[in-house]
Amino acid sequence: MSNPDSNFRFAPPDTRAALVIAHPGHELKVFGWLEVAQPRVFVLTDGSGRSGRSRLSSTTRILKQAGARPGSIYGRLTDSAGYAAILNQEFDLFIELAKELTEAFVNEQINFVAGDALEGYNPMHDVCRLVTNAAVTLARQARGHDIPNFEFSLISPPDVRLEPPPANEIWFRLDETALARKISMAQGYTELAGEVMETLGRTSVEAFSVERLHLSDPAEDARRFDAEPPFYEHYGEKQVAAGHYTRLLRYNEHLAPLAGALRRHTEAALQ
């Protein structure tokens, strides 16, 4: 079984964890943690992308294997609907998701949250982090105590360093059996087979034996793209030029205003 290696006390007896991800399949990044924490799992979209084919059923199979359970928000949006809402600045949709997530955290007495990091790679990943941060802030007030809010990278290469983890991180080191289960689950995820094979081809299998979660820092996230636009803007320009999309999603025009709307909602609710 996976073993947590951290100076943060992760698993007191009454731990009730939640995992919040933008797309089905992200749970594979922290499959070892998933098996140990057995969290309630909230998924914002169905992962259909441009293909229009949901990959939610594959994630449902993985959750069952790990002993985790779907949350009340589970494939709520198609990717196309999510992107359209961002482009059209339909902030109420995401505020309602934050409110529903807050209610779930409170009602289910969640006291540990992990989810996608804000990295500028995919807009929905970043929206997931913004919604999660708002929900955790409001759930903390409602429950009257701290709720650790951790995140994990979806794009950084796995880390196999042997040094002790920083104070604000949790590192999970998977033994051979747990690692084999993780690799098996990833290889069996049909809709992500190409990505899994590509990743395994350029990275050693042993690299996936370390899973890193670090505390979310909303203040740092707010400054992240001050100097350089996110990757998805550059990628989006190519997709628009190729005719796959007709409108370009930009951080300053779309994500930053959404972050502001969620922040105002949170501040008003805290008063």
Side-chain angles (χ1 to χ4, degrees):
M1 182 59 68
S2 311
N3 295 308
D5 180 7
S6 175
N7 53 9
F8 178 86
R9 190 177 180 217
F10 161 67
D14 62 344
T15 293
R16 293 174 180 267
L19 174 66
V20 188
I21 53 179
H23 296 123
H26 292 186
E27 71 282 353
L28 289 169
K29 291 287 289 187
V30 289
F31 182 76
W33 174 82
L34 191 79
E35 286 191 308
V36 172
Q38 297 187 331
R40 184 73 77 177
V41 180
F42 301 85
V43 188
L44 299 192
T45 77
D46 64 0
S48 54
R50 292 203 308 268
S51 72
R53 294 188 297 273
S54 171
R55 60 184 195 228
L56 204 60
S57 61
S58 291
T59 283
T60 300
R61 175 177 56 83
I62 285 177
L63 299 191
K64 184 176 181 180
Q65 176 77 19
R69 294 176 297 165
S72 57
I73 300 171
Y74 195 69
R76 178 69 55 83
L77 305 171
T78 64
D79 281 305
S80 59
Y83 288 131
I86 300 170
L87 284 165
N88 296 327
Q89 298 192 347
E90 296 173 5
F91 300 148
D92 285 348
L93 172 64
F94 300 106
I95 289 172
E96 288 302 316
L97 286 174
K99 290 167 65 176
E100 184 173 346
L101 197 56
T102 300
E103 184 177 353
F105 289 170
V106 173
N107 291 343
E108 300 188 37
Q109 300 182 344
I110 298 298
N111 51 22
F112 186 97
V113 176
D116 295 350
L118 188 149
E119 302 179 281
Y121 180 74
N122 180 294
M124 283 306 302
H125 300 182
D126 292 358
V127 167
C128 182
R129 174 45 47 192
L130 295 173
V131 168
T132 302
N133 286 348
V136 169
T137 298
L138 294 176
R140 284 170 175 163
Q141 182 198 47
R143 302 221 29 219
H145 61 74
D146 186 36
I147 300 175
N149 183 16
F150 278 78
E151 62 188 22
F152 55 91
S153 173
L154 290 158
I155 61 174
S156 297
D159 196 323
V160 294
R161 295 180 300 172
L162 299 179
E163 306 97 285
N168 65 341
E169 291 194 5
I170 294 173
W171 291 11
F172 267 74
R173 304 178 190 277
L174 280 62
D175 61 27
E176 291 184 4
T177 304
L179 176 59
R181 286 197 299 272
K182 179 178 181 177
I183 298 301
S184 176
M185 288 294 102
Q187 291 176 327
Y189 203 114
T190 305
E191 298 88 346
L192 296 177
E195 294 180 35
V196 170
M197 290 299 295
E198 180 183 355
T199 301
L200 291 174
R202 66 172 186 267
T203 310
S204 67
V205 171
E206 289 75 18
F208 294 91
S209 65
V210 175
E211 298 174 355
R212 297 179 60 180
L213 291 84
H214 58 274
L215 281 170
S216 177
D217 186 346
E220 180 181 343
D221 287 344
R223 301 187 296 268
R224 189 175 301 274
F225 306 118
D226 286 350
E228 176 69 20
F231 166 81
Y232 60 72
E233 288 195 21
H234 302 299
Y235 180 76
E237 290 170 352
K238 297 178 181 178
Q239 295 299 299
V240 170
H244 296 307
Y245 300 110
T246 58
R247 298 172 63 188
L248 178 61
L249 194 154
R250 295 192 181 277
Y251 176 78
N252 286 333
E253 184 178 345
H254 303 103
L255 268 292
L258 172 56
L262 284 165
R263 183 177 60 254
R264 290 188 296 273
H265 161 72
T266 302
E267 291 172 349
L270 291 174
Q271 292 178 357

